[in-house]
Each structure stands twice: as C-alpha cells, then as structure tokens.
Amino acid sequence: MRNLLTGGVFDKTFKAGDKFKEPDLVLVPATYLYSDNDGSYFLDQESYETLTLSGAMLGNALDYITDGVLVSCTSSTAIQSVCNCPSFVELDVVHTEPAVRGDTSSGSVTKSARLQTGLEIRVPLFIKEGEKVKVS
C-alpha cells in the first residue's frame, strides 16, 4: 500500500473477500510557477486555478523542477494536493570544476556539479558549465 500524503510504501496482508472504497482521486496536470515563504505555486492546466503546496508536502521535489515544468498533482476531497514529479528532468549545470588531465588515475571518473536548482550531483569529467544533464 502507498500512503497518499507521504508517498511511503508498506506491506499489509488482506483476505480475499476484503472490500475497499475507491479513493476519490483526481490527477491534475499542473505547471510549476514559483516558490516563496508561503509555499510553492502550480497552475492547474485544466481549470487555470493556482494550487499552493507547502514545503513539507513537496519534500525535496523542488531540487528537480524548474519554472514551467509539467507535473501531475493528485487531489481529493479528503486530502490536500500531492505533487508527482516527472521521472526524468533536464537541468543546466551552473558550476563544475574543469577536468584535469590525469584525474582518472585516482579511480574517480566523476566530478561534482551544481545544477540550476542548487542540487549537487556527480557527473562525468567531460560535462562542462552551461550543458544540460538528464537527472532521474
């Protein structure tokens, strides 16, 4: 089972005859607009209403989304909206050290790079500032 608020998954055993009510869920396509101290704002692509999600609801999702990225938000009458990020995003590398000849002698063929969202990842030595990387 998956907790719709936290996204956590846990095991539960049920009997063959157990019945459940279907949750009243709606998948809403939304575009990320911006964030401030009050939360993060998304534009519902169907009704053009603004959805506001708190930092606790998003977790580390803001490390992977930028302005204009299309996400799907799950909403219900019982719970507030939950944001589901895309599986892969393309982000710009804003800072990385240049590769130095002989760096592979230490066995490390990656280097640190900071992306446009502030996320730090390890990238291959040939990646330079200004290039796009695909992040899963």
Side-chain angles (χ1 to χ4, degrees):
M1 289 184 8
R2 180 178 302 273
N3 184 324
L4 294 176
L5 295 175
T6 64
V9 178
F10 57 95
D11 292 326
K12 177 104 172 144
T13 304
F14 299 100
K15 295 178 186 167
D18 287 349
K19 303 254 186 223
F20 301 97
K21 287 175 142 181
E22 283 192 39
D24 181 25
L25 294 177
V26 177
L27 228 57
V28 177
T31 305
Y32 175 69
L33 298 173
Y34 65 95
S35 295
D36 62 13
N37 294 337
D38 295 330
S40 297
Y41 300 93
F42 295 84
L43 179 65
D44 183 336
Q45 293 296 301
E46 294 173 352
S47 67
Y48 298 105
E49 294 178 6
T50 303
L51 304 171
T52 305
L53 301 178
S54 68
M57 294 170 83
L58 288 172
N60 66 349
L62 289 179
D63 289 339
Y64 300 97
I65 57 177
T66 57
D67 296 343
V69 169
L70 186 65
V71 298
S72 65
C73 293
T74 306
S75 65
S76 165
T77 55
I79 62 170
Q80 293 180 343
S81 295
V82 177
C83 176
N84 302 314
C85 292
S87 299
F88 297 95
V89 292
E90 287 190 6
L91 299 171
D92 294 328
V93 175
V94 294
H95 176 72
T96 187
E97 297 297 324
V100 178
R101 187 178 180 110
D103 276 351
T104 59
S105 63
S106 66
S108 173
V109 292
T110 62
K111 60 183 178 178
S112 179
R114 186 172 53 248
L115 305 179
Q116 69 191 79
T117 60
L119 181 66
E120 295 263 341
I121 63 170
R122 303 292 295 177
V123 296
L125 293 175
F126 61 84
I127 299 291
K128 299 177 186 125
E129 289 182 15
E131 292 185 354
K132 288 190 179 287
V133 292
K134 192 173 193 177
V135 180
S136 172

